[in-house]
């Protein structure tokens, strides 16, 4: 038997309704915050991710799906959405639009070669937003607020925001020097990745999962002690705006994000109960990225979360989403001619905007009524030979069991009435 590839999953009817509901809520909140959707290709030139995610990240070092196409180009299935969004922003000169910052969101599949577990897939779907072209601390707060409102509207509770600042280039350079000094005498005891990161990007050592328990991790110099005055003021301004919106956060001086290009604000939103992977959203400011991808020096900020982890959080908290799984109407025709009439009527019902179905298996009346039940039909329309000859149909309101004979021309009106009050 053929099986779905490891770390991938089919989303089937029954579960897909939850995905659609969550995606609809994402689109709706983006509309309210004035973010427009962008769809970029699933694969990009490999080079984009090397530049835009960073050579020293786990994503690029170990997790990419990279292949050579028949024309000899190296392409990579996108592992995240920011690099592609920024590439498109530069390529399409969105910085030239009078409306700034450029506010974009995406929902789509991402690919990482990971060790699969709950909430960690090889193909997963991210919802992310990016605001490019502003370094107003209010937009940092808005980014976090949008994510938290989104979760709140889904019914999620007890999430917490962890916040840090990675500072500007000057602050990061000072911190980097301190990190190299701190780790150099002990680096022998660290994993090979950390050893190679020591001079390339020592900040990434702090994000290492293998060496997380080493004593030197806890005593490592923290970036907050190295922020210059400007970066510290920026961080304070972000915090003040989060306070204005009533968003609680904890400063976590040890929070560093997996991607190389982050500056200033970095944050994660956590749900403690979902197991080993408690982060449901990660984001931050990336003031160096646009230039790295070949554009002008433009600030940016965004977040990404996967629908998989949102679902995990919802499940953990026992939240049932109000998803629609019923159908408006089920039409039954008994006997060949009545069945033809049923088929015709079905088409009219659908044209009128109602959802409806009938039997295509030649089943008996009882089995058809069972189908109607299974589909949670709000109304059932029955046409027998006798009704056919009199030009009427029996319309049954499934909510209260009432049934009436209705002339064919009035069936849709009756159905509309029943299904409207049934909602
Ligand atoms: P982690 O430390 O859990 O590996 P990360 O730092 O790699 O996370 P990001 O690259 O910041 O994660 O991705 C942002 C969000 O995307 C995560 O907070 C999570 O919701 C989701 N995500 C990342 N990797 C996966 C995956 N393999 N499967 C499902 N969701 C994922
Ligand atoms: Mg990861």
């Amino acid at each position: 038997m053929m099986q779905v590839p490891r770390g991938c999953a089919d989303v089937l009817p029954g579960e897909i309704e939850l995905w659609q509901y969550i995606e609809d809520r994402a689109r709706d909140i983006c509309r309210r915050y004035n973010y427009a959707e962008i769809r970029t290709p699933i694969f990009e030139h490999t080079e984009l991710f090397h530049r835009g995610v960073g050579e020293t990240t786990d994503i690029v070092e170990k997790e990419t799906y990279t292949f050579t196409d028949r024309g000899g180009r190296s392409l990579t299935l996108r592992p995240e959405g920011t690099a592609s969004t920024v590439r498109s922003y530069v390529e399409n000169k969105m910085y030239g639009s009078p409306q700034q910052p450029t506010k974009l969101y995406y929902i789509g599949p991402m690919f990482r070669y990971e060790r699969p577990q709950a909430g960690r897939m090889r193909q997963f779907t991210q919802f992310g937003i990016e605001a490019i072209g502003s370094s107003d601390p209010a937009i940092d707060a808005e980014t976090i607020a949008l994510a938290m409102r989104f979760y709140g509207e889904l019914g999620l509770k007890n999430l917490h925001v962890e916040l840090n600042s990675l500072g500007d280039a000057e602050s990061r350079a000072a911190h980097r020097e301190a990190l190299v000094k701190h780790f150099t005498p002990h680096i022998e005891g660290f994993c090979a990745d950390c050893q190679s990161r020591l001079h390339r990007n020592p900040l990434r050592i702090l994000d290492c999962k293998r060496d997380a328990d080493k004593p030197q991790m806890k005593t490592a110099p923290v970036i907050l002690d190295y922020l210059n005055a400007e970066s510290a003021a920026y961080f304070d301004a972000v915090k003040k705006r989060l306070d204005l919106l009533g968003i609680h956060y904890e400063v976590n001086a040890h929070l560093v994000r997996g991607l190389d290009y982050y500056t200033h604000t970095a944050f994660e939103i956590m749900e403690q109960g979902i197991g080993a992977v408690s982060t449901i959203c990660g984001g931050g400011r990336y003031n160096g990225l646009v230039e790295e991808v070949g554009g002008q020096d433009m600030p940016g900020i965004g977040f990404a979360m996967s629908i998989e982890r949102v679902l995990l959080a919802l499940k953990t908290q026992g939240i049932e989403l109000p998803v629609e799984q019923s159908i408006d109407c089920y039409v039954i025709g008994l006997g060949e001619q009545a069945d033809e009439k049923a088929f015709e009527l079905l088409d009219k019902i659908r044209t009128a905007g109602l959802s409806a179905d009938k039997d295509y298996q030649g089943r008996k009346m009882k089995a058809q009524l069972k189908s109607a039940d299974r589909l949670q039909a709000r109304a059932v329309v029955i046409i027998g030979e006798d009704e056919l000859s009199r030009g009427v149909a029996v319309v049954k309101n499934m909510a209260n069991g009432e049934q009436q004979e209705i002339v064919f021309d009035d069936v849709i009106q009756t159905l509309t009435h029943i299904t409207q009050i049934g909602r």
Side-chain angles (χ1 to χ4, degrees), residues 59 63 112 114 120 209:
I59 294 179
E63 298 175 359
R112 296 184 193 178
E114 303 233 41
R120 194 180 292 289
K209 292 181 177 110

Side-chain angles (χ1 to χ4, degrees), residues 310-375:
V310 173
L311 283 166
L312 214 54
L314 288 166
K315 203 169 146 198
T316 305
Q317 298 196 6
I319 295 165
E320 301 228 0
L321 298 177
V323 294
E324 178 94 355
Q325 268 167 335
S326 55
I327 195 169
D328 290 323
C329 174
Y330 195 82
V331 186
I332 301 176
L334 301 167
E336 202 180 316
Q337 280 174 331
D339 191 51
E340 280 172 15
K341 184 69 195 175
F343 186 57
E344 200 189 317
L345 190 60
L346 174 67
D347 191 53
K348 292 211 174 84
I349 294 169
R350 290 166 170 170
T351 306
L354 299 177
S355 57
D357 212 348
K358 75 181 286 296
D359 167 78
Y360 295 100
Q361 308 292 116
R363 280 176 299 194
K364 299 251 161 30
M365 164 96 163
K366 209 171 141 195
Q368 293 197 36
L369 282 170
K370 234 184 213 156
S371 286
D373 267 346
R374 218 178 297 118
L375 293 168

Side-chain angles (χ1 to χ4, degrees), residues 7 53 58-59 63 79-80 110-127 151 207 209 256-259 262 267-269 276-283 303-310:
V53 178
D58 277 357
I59 294 179
E63 298 175 359
E80 54 95 57
M110 306 295 162
F111 306 84
R112 296 184 193 178
Y113 190 77
E114 303 233 41
R115 204 131 48 97
Q117 53 177 295
R120 194 180 292 289
M121 306 290 289
R122 290 185 174 170
Q123 175 173 334
F124 56 100
T125 300
Q126 272 186 344
F127 159 41
Y151 294 133
D207 204 19
K209 292 181 177 110
V256 291
R257 304 271 313 129
L259 315 183
Y262 279 90
F267 67 93
E268 290 191 353
I269 302 174
V277 284
S278 56
T279 303
I280 59 174
C281 179
F303 70 63
M305 67 177 79
S306 67
I307 309 290
E308 286 81 357
R309 288 197 196 170
V310 173

